[in-house]
């Protein structure tokens, strides 16, 4: 069975699972392109597929196909297995195929594990450098710790990167967790790149002096971004091979690695709102947020000044602000297209962190005395009869509304219904359709009343050709038979032809 099919359960002759947008039944070992029957990828489709599978398969032979994880214990076992004398080619073809598969899986796991460790180490290094960058001079001779409106966003970045390192650290036992942490960190890095470029632009344009804190913080950003990228690439490697089926046939396929894909038609509305929220956030980010009202009692004048427009700065600073805007829109579009949607939600969540931090920083800034912004002390302003009050512009609140919209979209992506999952229990509702439940356990058979046992045996002989050797021989010898496989609605397909079930 190729890796395109995810096999859920297997019996003596048939296996059931999920293909590309359908549930199907295959003969054990048959190619993916030749399912015996198929049903739509819905909950009802799965119930119909299971009902048919339980009918045609030999009772008591159905068992779930377990999923395997390549962890440290599996790697050690595979090393011992390949070191044993019986693991060589002389032990038979089946043993050599199994040994080669295990060895290849273990080698892939070792490579992926090494890369994940490197990514985790770089993330930890970046977090340490980010914390260290808070103490020395950052720009203009002041440290971040001495500026309340600046230390808060940088602390948010560092804490978010530290949080992303947690899932990557769990990748030894849960390889897919590394992908979630890496996407969260990369969303954060995409937006903060422009913010750091803007800070560096203040130095390049001559408006501030370069401090050690800025250099250390930039190195921390670089380490976190590189670590997240390495972890994402390593997590996309197939380190979880499908468990082997009978006669060396492949079993269930590995889980989806995730990536941009065409969204479902029913999701187009919410996803369009997500993209529009990203565009609105970028546009509002460029506008002026700070508003200062200067009143001079001696002259009786009142003047309002707005500051913070992204395009009223030196060229290098403008470039950084444009990078932020482009990153916000790009991450919103990528998160809308990413499947599974939960991974896209984490990418978007990482980008939302610095956007929220910038809003908090603006509120902290306007809550502080604004006299220093105009080069005055409070005593000088009082002597000249000047009063200065600060606040935020209406566009700032528009920006906050767009960021809240992004948060709502992120929550929707986390809870958006995906395609129906294959039930974990091997016994869904009874194929008899009487509303009862078949007993749990792979070896259990359908329970009927004792009084109807004889009649049920007769009906089973007539309706389940896969359970009868006589029906098998008749289906094989008949060139044109009246029996046909049951379609999605449970009826027989029109026309004559040999049954698809052997």
């Amino acid at each position: 069975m190729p890796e395109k099919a995810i096999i859920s359960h297997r019996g003596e002759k048939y296996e059931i699972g999920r293909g590309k947008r359908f549930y199907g039944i295959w003969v054990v070992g048959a190619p993916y392109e030749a399912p015996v029957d198929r049903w739509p990828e819905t909950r009802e489709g799965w119930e119909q597929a299971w009902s048919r599978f339980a009918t045609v398969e030999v009772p008591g032979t159905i068992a779930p196909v377990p999923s395997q994880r390549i962890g440290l214990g599996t790697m050690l076992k595979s090393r011992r297995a390949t070191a044993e004398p019986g693991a060589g080619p002389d032990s038979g073809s089946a043993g050599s195929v199994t040994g080669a598969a295990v060895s290849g899986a273990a080698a892939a796991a070792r490579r992926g594990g090494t890369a994940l460790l490197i990514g985790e180490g770089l993330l930890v290094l970046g977090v340490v450098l980010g914390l260290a960058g808070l103490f020395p001079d950052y720009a203009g001779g002041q440290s971040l710790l001495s500026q309340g409106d600046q230390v808060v966003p940088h602390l948010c970045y560092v804490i978010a990167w530290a949080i992303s390192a947690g899932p990557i650290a769990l990748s030894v036992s849960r390889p897919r967790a590394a992908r979630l942490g890496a996407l969260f960190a990369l969303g954060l890095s995409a937006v903060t790149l422009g913010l750091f470029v803007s800070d560096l632009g203040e130095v390049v344009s001559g408006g501030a002096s370069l401090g050690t804190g800025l250099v250390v913080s930039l190195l921390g950003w670089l380490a976190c971004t590189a670590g997240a990228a390495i972890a994402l690439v390593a997590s996309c490697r197939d380190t979880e091979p499908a468990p082997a089926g009978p006669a060396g046939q492949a079993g269930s396929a590995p889980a989806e690695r995730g990536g941009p894909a065409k969204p479902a038609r029913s999701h187009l509305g919410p996803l369009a709102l997500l993209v529009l929220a990203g565009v609105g956030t970028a546009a509002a980010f460029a506008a002026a947020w700070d508003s200062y009202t200067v009143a001079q009692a001696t002259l009786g004048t009142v003047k309002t000044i707005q500051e913070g427009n992204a395009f009223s700065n030196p060229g290098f600073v403008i470039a950084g602000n444009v990078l932020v805007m482009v990153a916000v829109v790009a991450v919103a579009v990528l998160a809308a297209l990413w499947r599974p949607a939960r991974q896209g939600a984490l990418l978007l969540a990482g980008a939302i962190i610095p956007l929220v931090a910038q809003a908090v920083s603006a509120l902290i800034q306007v809550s502080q005395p604004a006299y220093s912004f105009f080069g005055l002390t409070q005593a000088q302003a009082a002597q000249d009869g000047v009063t200065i009050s600060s606040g935020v512009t209406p566009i700032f609140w528009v920006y906050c509304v767009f960021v809240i919209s992004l948060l709502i979209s992120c929550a929707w992506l986390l809870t958006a219904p995906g395609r129906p999952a294959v039930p974990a229990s091997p016994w869904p509702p009874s194929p008899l359709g009487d509303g009862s439940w078949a007993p749990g356990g792979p070896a259990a058979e359908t329970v009927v009343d004792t009084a109807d046992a004889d009649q049920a045996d007769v009906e089973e002989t007539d309706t389940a050709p896969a359970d009868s050797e006589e029906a098998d021989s008749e289906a094989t010898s008949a060139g044109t038979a009246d029996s046909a496989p049951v379609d999605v609605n449970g009826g027989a397909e029109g026309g004559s032809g040999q049954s698809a079930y052997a």
Side-chain angles (χ1 to χ4, degrees):
M1 179 65 58
E3 292 184 353
K4 295 180 181 178
I6 302 178
I7 300 304
S8 170
H9 297 83
R10 181 178 290 117
E12 181 180 348
K13 298 179 181 180
Y14 303 99
E15 50 193 9
I16 186 172
R18 184 173 64 204
K20 187 177 182 180
R21 301 186 182 90
F22 71 94
Y23 292 118
I25 296 176
W26 289 265
V27 177
V28 174
Y32 168 80
E33 293 77 13
V36 176
D37 215 338
R38 65 174 66 195
W39 290 263
E41 196 181 34
T42 61
R43 181 66 60 184
E44 294 76 15
W46 169 253
E47 292 176 356
Q48 294 173 10
W50 184 270
S51 177
R52 185 60 176 166
F53 179 62
T55 301
V56 301
E57 188 51 76
V58 177
T61 63
I62 299 176
V65 177
S67 60
Q68 293 181 344
R69 296 185 182 274
I70 302 299
L72 181 59
T74 305
M75 293 168 55
L76 294 177
K77 290 180 181 178
S78 63
R79 290 181 181 179
R80 289 196 297 267
T82 52
E84 292 176 357
D90 296 336
S91 60
S93 59
S96 60
V97 172
T98 303
V102 173
S103 299
R110 287 194 295 272
R111 291 194 299 269
T114 302
L116 288 173
L117 288 177
I118 294 175
E120 175 73 10
L122 286 174
L123 265 172
V124 173
L125 175 61
V127 170
V128 173
L129 290 175
L131 291 175
L134 300 176
F135 299 95
D137 293 342
Y138 187 80
Q142 290 183 313
S143 66
L144 290 174
L145 284 178
S146 64
Q147 307 174 67
D149 59 321
Q150 296 296 322
V151 68
V152 170
H154 282 80
L155 271 178
C156 291
Y157 311 155
V158 173
I159 293 173
W161 274 315
I163 292 174
S164 69
I168 298 177
L170 296 175
S171 59
V172 175
S173 59
R174 300 182 61 187
R176 297 186 190 94
R179 195 175 315 151
L180 303 179
L183 287 171
F184 181 79
L186 288 176
L188 173 63
S189 297
V191 177
T192 52
L193 171 63
L195 298 175
F196 279 112
V197 171
S198 296
D199 293 342
L200 189 61
E202 294 286 350
V203 176
V204 173
S205 61
S209 59
L210 179 63
T212 306
L214 178 56
V215 176
V216 174
S217 297
L218 285 172
L219 292 176
W221 177 92
L222 183 62
C224 289
T225 304
I230 292 173
L232 179 62
V233 173
S235 66
C236 290
R237 294 179 180 175
D238 187 11
T239 57
E240 299 183 22
Q249 297 294 333
S252 58
E256 296 182 0
R257 297 177 180 179
K262 183 178 180 180
R265 185 173 300 178
S266 59
H267 294 169
L268 291 180
L271 295 181
L273 292 178
L274 166 59
V275 175
L276 290 177
V279 174
T281 302
F285 177 83
W289 289 359
D290 304 328
S291 176
Y292 299 96
T293 302
V294 181
Q296 191 169 11
T298 56
L299 299 178
T301 58
V302 178
K303 185 177 182 181
T304 301
I305 303 173
Q306 293 185 354
E307 294 290 339
N309 190 287
F311 298 101
S312 61
N313 295 290
F316 212 94
V317 179
I318 295 176
N321 292 327
V322 170
L323 283 177
V324 174
M325 298 164 62
V326 171
V328 170
V329 176
V331 170
V333 172
L334 197 58
L337 298 177
W338 200 281
R339 292 297 176 273
R342 181 179 61 175
Q343 297 182 11
L346 288 172
L347 179 67
L348 180 61
I352 292 175
I353 295 295
L355 298 178
V356 174
Q358 289 299 306
V360 174
S361 175
L363 292 176
I364 294 176
Q365 181 177 351
V366 298
S367 65
Q368 298 173 348
Y371 298 101
S372 59
F373 182 80
F374 295 91
L376 298 174
T377 63
Q378 190 169 0
Q380 292 174 337
Q383 183 178 358
D384 297 337
V386 176
T387 57
I388 303 175
S389 59
S390 58
V392 293
T393 61
I395 197 65
F396 170 80
W397 300 114
V398 175
Y399 169 84
C400 293
V401 171
F402 280 122
V403 172
I404 293 174
S405 301
L406 289 177
L407 286 170
I408 295 174
S409 298
C410 182
W412 179 84
L413 289 174
L414 284 173
T415 58
R419 58 184 176 183
V422 176
S425 172
W427 296 106
S430 172
L432 299 178
D434 55 3
S436 62
W437 289 79
E445 299 180 5
T446 303
V447 176
V448 296
D449 294 336
T450 305
D452 298 333
D454 295 336
Q455 181 65 23
D457 292 338
V458 174
E459 293 178 359
E460 182 180 357
T461 304
D462 295 336
T463 59
D467 298 340
S468 171
E469 296 181 358
E470 182 181 356
D472 291 344
S473 61
E474 290 178 359
T476 305
S477 60
T480 58
D482 293 335
S483 62
V486 176
D487 61 6
V488 175
N489 298 322
E493 295 178 354
S496 61
Q498 185 176 356
S499 174
Y501 295 96

